Amino acid sequence: MEILWVLMALVMLSFVLLPFLRRRRGAIEQVPAGHPDAADPANYGFVLEEELDIRMPGPDQDLLDVLAVVQHTQDYRAAQQLLAGTETEGERRWQRVQAFAGAAALELRQRPGGVSDAPGGQWLRVWRTEAPKDAGGAAVHAEFLVQQAWRTSTPGTDDFRIIMEEAKDACGQAALLAPGDPIPYIVELSVARGLNYSQPEFEQLWLKILDRAPTHMGAHLAALHYWCEKWHGSRDEATSFAEAAAARAPQGSLLAAMPLFGVFEHLPEVNLVSGFYQSEVVRKAIHGALFAVQAARADDPMLAHVRHLLVFFLVRAERWSEAMNQLIHVDGHVGALPWTLSADPAGEFAVYRALAVAGYEANGGSPASLPH
């Protein structure tokens, strides 16, 4: 009888541990090659995994061209000109500031410099030295410091705080150079999270952004992190923030997709409910995001961000056809959530893409039946 009780306990334990091992933070198993359910994404014209661009969520050829010039010549002026010609309040300027800062940070990591050679990203230092009153360079420098803090230090350590304090000063300098520009304050949202701003301090910062760019999607996503349970808020506060943003979203705004990002930020580490991704909360968030995508301008720079997250949720919900409809718009670029949380963004994206194709074909779909 005792043996029977032991066996029953082991069975019950397996029900608890298996979902944890298989479903942590949205982890998902890949369909192995040669499996009857496997399908070939190449039949749909999808980009090979090794050719997926992990730098950006979607295409921005002007940015890519300028980055190539800057990195080849180490001359910042092409970047300066591109930012000067990019709309101040728009999403694209924020994405380009992040891209330039990220490129400089990556160069520095690859070439830290030494006695005989200059460190990578030297063009950004020259930019700040030669054009100290250039608002674009100041914003890129502030974002560069923020990225350096998160990438090279551990939150709570002295090193992290020192870099973040320097970033905070850089944000203030950038704001003085361009009083109407929301980007220095958007950069500071990450500083606020890292330096543990109180909620009243954070709200004052947030009001400055709302005064300048009230519907800025990138700003809302950055602010959402602060209100999340893992940082300085709670699940309820993050949900309220996301739902309030969606409720006041004007026609055509992607802010209607904010609740889906809120759900993603609070995915259960252990999912014991097999139908979680078909639950009412997730269905409602997906519906809002799909509505936002359909109503948005085709050239909205944040559109790809929403589509990528939709791919994740639609695959998990086994809504294969809808997932494929998003994939045809974003395939080729994977620099967005949730893929960027993985050590191998291209590989993670490729797994979900393969699952979408397999599920689509298992339910009668084919390349000929997929609208483009």
Side-chain angles (χ1 to χ4, degrees):
M1 188 66 179
E2 291 181 1
I3 294 177
L4 179 60
W5 281 110
V6 170
L7 290 175
M8 290 178 65
L10 289 174
V11 170
M12 293 300 294
L13 183 62
S14 70
F15 279 110
V16 174
L17 291 181
L18 279 176
F20 175 73
L21 295 173
R22 299 178 62 184
R23 292 182 170 175
R24 286 175 304 174
R25 190 58 176 173
I28 196 165
E29 295 180 358
Q30 185 170 6
V31 180
H35 188 279
D37 291 335
D40 189 358
N43 293 337
Y44 294 81
F46 290 147
V47 175
L48 295 174
E49 179 181 337
E50 57 270 25
E51 295 176 0
L52 291 168
D53 191 327
I54 64 173
R55 296 170 295 180
M56 298 184 299
D60 185 347
Q61 194 58 48
D62 289 341
L63 173 61
L64 291 179
D65 292 344
V66 167
L67 270 175
V69 169
V70 169
Q71 294 182 316
H72 177 70
T73 65
Q74 290 295 295
D75 187 333
Y76 67 87
R77 284 174 290 185
Q80 182 184 36
Q81 292 170 3
L82 182 65
L83 283 183
T86 306
E87 181 186 8
T88 301
E89 296 82 9
E91 306 280 355
R92 195 171 299 281
R93 180 179 170 85
W94 168 231
Q95 291 187 8
R96 288 173 172 176
V97 165
Q98 288 180 298
F100 286 132
L106 180 59
E107 284 185 37
L108 181 59
R109 185 174 65 185
Q110 294 173 337
R111 301 195 311 277
V115 176
S116 59
D117 61 329
Q122 185 67 19
W123 53 270
L124 179 54
R125 296 177 182 82
V126 174
W127 188 353
R128 293 297 295 129
T129 301
E130 293 187 354
K133 295 188 181 300
D134 180 64
V140 173
H141 180 237
E143 174 64 15
F144 166 80
L145 291 170
V146 166
Q147 292 194 25
Q148 280 294 96
W150 290 110
R151 292 182 184 190
T152 65
S153 306
T154 302
T157 63
D158 289 341
D159 287 346
F160 181 84
R161 175 167 288 277
I162 288 170
I163 301 174
M164 276 298 188
E165 290 287 359
E166 186 180 355
K168 182 178 180 180
D169 291 341
C171 288
Q173 294 170 19
L176 288 174
L177 291 171
D181 188 351
I183 289 182
Y185 301 103
I186 298 175
V187 176
E188 193 179 348
L189 290 172
S190 188
V191 175
R193 181 161 50 96
L195 292 182
N196 303 322
Y197 280 25
S198 68
Q199 290 192 2
E201 289 175 316
F202 186 86
E203 288 168 349
Q204 288 179 1
L205 172 61
W206 183 238
L207 286 175
K208 294 176 181 178
I209 295 171
L210 292 181
D211 285 343
R212 292 161 176 81
T215 61
H216 198 289
M217 179 76 171
H220 280 79
L221 292 177
L224 178 64
H225 289 302
Y226 178 90
W227 293 112
C228 284
E229 192 173 60
K230 60 188 175 185
W231 287 106
H232 307 299
S234 65
R235 182 189 301 266
D236 288 343
E237 286 175 310
T239 298
S240 295
F241 176 82
E243 290 182 349
R248 66 172 181 268
Q251 178 66 28
S253 170
L254 287 166
L255 287 177
M258 282 297 297
L260 189 65
F261 287 88
V263 171
F264 179 77
E265 290 296 334
H266 294 89
L267 286 179
E269 292 292 337
V270 181
N271 180 13
L272 300 179
V273 182
S274 61
F276 172 77
Y277 289 90
Q278 291 89 27
S279 67
E280 181 62 26
V281 170
V282 175
R283 278 203 308 270
K284 184 178 178 181
I286 289 175
H287 177 76
L290 288 171
F291 171 80
V293 164
Q294 292 166 0
R297 300 191 328 269
D299 62 346
D300 191 317
M302 294 302 295
L303 185 55
H305 285 274
V306 181
R307 290 191 187 277
H308 278 291
L309 197 62
L310 273 169
V311 170
F312 171 87
F313 276 98
L314 291 169
V315 167
R316 298 293 282 177
E318 300 181 6
R319 295 165 63 167
W320 312 115
S321 179
E322 291 169 292
M324 291 293 286
N325 286 334
Q326 300 306 318
L327 279 168
I328 61 176
H329 291 287
V330 297
D331 188 71
H333 298 82
V334 296
L337 285 176
W339 328 122
T340 50
L341 295 179
S342 169
D344 180 15
E348 186 79 359
F349 173 82
V351 168
Y352 276 77
R353 185 177 64 182
L355 286 164
V357 170
Y360 181 64
E361 293 191 354
N363 287 273
S366 70
S369 62
L370 184 64
H372 286 77

